[in-house]
Amino acid sequence: IQMRVKRHVLLGNRKAIVLGATGATGAHVLQCLLESEEWVKVTAIVRKKIAIQNEKLEQVVLEDFGDLQSTKEKWIGNDVVFDCLGSTRSQAGTAEELRRVEVTFTQIAAEIAKSAQIPHFSFISAHSANTRQWGAVDWFQPLYFLKLMGEKEQAVLDQNFLRVSIFRPRALDRGFEDSRILEGILAKVTPSIPVSILAQVMVKQSETDLATTSETPFYGSHADILELAKMHQLATRPPVKWSFV
């Protein structure tokens, strides 16, 4: 295991930006942040406003994440960006739109975060992500997706953040209502990680004093995520089902 965990640091004044807060993993990340006394301000950039009242939550409604630059003033003064944006070919509709969601939006987010001097960028990639993935043609999603994940990682690393956390699960358990074909296949050969566990690990890992940079990022493998969950005694949570205004 490659984790360089030193200690869990309690500060009590953390602020975060959350992207993808209405998705399977992002919803749990948002819930964890709102429940924790460690975080005093959470800014969620969403396409639709969530019907939730919490004094430390600010929601910024943005229909097209291609216009993220218009929210840049909201990023100033934050400590971490949790990028939980993601899609599939079937959800996106085309290979080009899938690239836009997975790579372009993250690239824009990383550029804004760097400009706002946010020190830590934490996001979800995939096991075997590789910018040079052989056979990555846009009509064969599994290999094409791994190439996109490699490009997504590089887009963040290029910004030279003080700290980068990359989570690379093999397969995620999103619950019956949001299952994905590829992950369903992988889950038959490797234990899948519940999205609630991944989300809690992302938050806990951001609260540790890991010595990571863009040159030496934290790569959280499938095994690392499970080990961190065990270390922090995390339990699976029921799906978060937001309603919208």
Side-chain angles (χ1 to χ4, degrees):
I1 193 165
Q2 56 178 303
M3 294 182 297
R4 300 174 291 282
V5 177
K6 295 182 179 179
R7 60 195 173 107
H8 192 222
V9 183
L10 300 178
L11 298 176
N13 60 353
R14 303 176 193 268
K15 299 178 182 179
I17 295 282
V18 181
L19 305 177
T22 59
T25 305
H28 281 287
V29 168
L30 178 59
Q31 185 179 64
C32 288
L33 297 173
L34 295 180
E35 291 176 351
S36 172
E37 295 181 357
E38 272 299 290
W39 302 85
V40 298
K41 178 69 179 294
V42 182
T43 302
I45 301 176
V46 294
R47 290 190 176 91
K48 295 187 293 183
K49 188 173 183 179
I50 304 169
I52 180 175
Q53 294 295 325
N54 189 296
E55 61 181 9
K56 62 183 178 183
L57 173 64
E58 179 178 0
Q59 299 188 60
V60 179
V61 179
L62 187 69
E63 292 186 4
D64 185 355
F65 274 56
D67 297 327
L68 266 176
Q69 286 286 352
S70 66
T71 70
K72 62 183 180 181
E73 297 299 325
K74 301 292 185 180
W75 296 58
I76 298 171
N78 283 278
D79 303 295
V80 188
V81 173
F82 292 101
D83 179 358
C84 303
L85 293 172
S87 188
T88 64
R89 174 66 181 269
S90 60
Q91 290 174 331
T94 65
E96 291 75 16
E97 186 60 22
L98 179 60
R99 175 184 289 278
R100 186 168 182 259
V101 173
E102 293 286 6
V103 181
T104 304
F105 291 170
T106 290
Q107 181 177 8
I108 297 172
E111 291 171 353
I112 299 172
K114 182 65 176 180
S115 178
Q117 299 183 345
I118 298 176
H120 186 188
F121 201 98
S122 178
F123 67 105
I124 305 167
S125 181
H127 176 74
S128 297
N130 185 356
T131 57
R132 299 179 180 180
Q133 176 63 52
W134 177 85
V137 290
D138 60 14
W139 51 264
F140 186 58
Q141 181 179 330
L143 297 183
Y144 180 67
F145 183 75
L146 295 180
K147 184 175 186 296
L148 291 185
M149 291 301 97
E151 294 176 3
K152 182 177 187 176
E153 291 184 4
Q154 194 59 51
V156 175
L157 294 173
D158 285 346
Q159 295 301 316
N160 296 312
F161 288 99
L162 290 176
R163 183 173 174 185
V164 176
S165 300
I166 304 172
F167 293 87
R168 289 175 157 184
R170 287 179 179 268
L172 291 174
D173 179 2
R174 304 169 188 274
F176 178 76
E177 294 181 0
D178 190 25
S179 61
R180 298 184 180 183
I181 295 174
L182 178 59
E183 289 180 342
I185 295 172
L186 290 173
K188 296 182 183 300
V189 297
T190 186
S192 58
I193 296 175
V195 290
S196 65
I197 291 294
L198 173 58
Q200 291 175 81
V201 166
M202 291 178 71
V203 174
K204 289 291 186 183
Q205 191 268 347
S206 73
E207 298 168 353
T208 57
D209 60 347
L210 285 169
T212 65
T213 64
S214 286
E215 293 183 357
T216 58
F218 170 81
Y219 286 103
S221 69
H222 198 90
D224 291 342
I225 296 167
L226 293 174
E227 184 65 21
L228 273 171
K230 181 179 179 180
M231 181 186 304
H232 292 291
Q233 300 180 323
L234 303 178
T236 302
R237 295 181 167 197
V240 177
K241 297 182 179 180
W242 301 127
S243 55
F244 301 96
V245 175

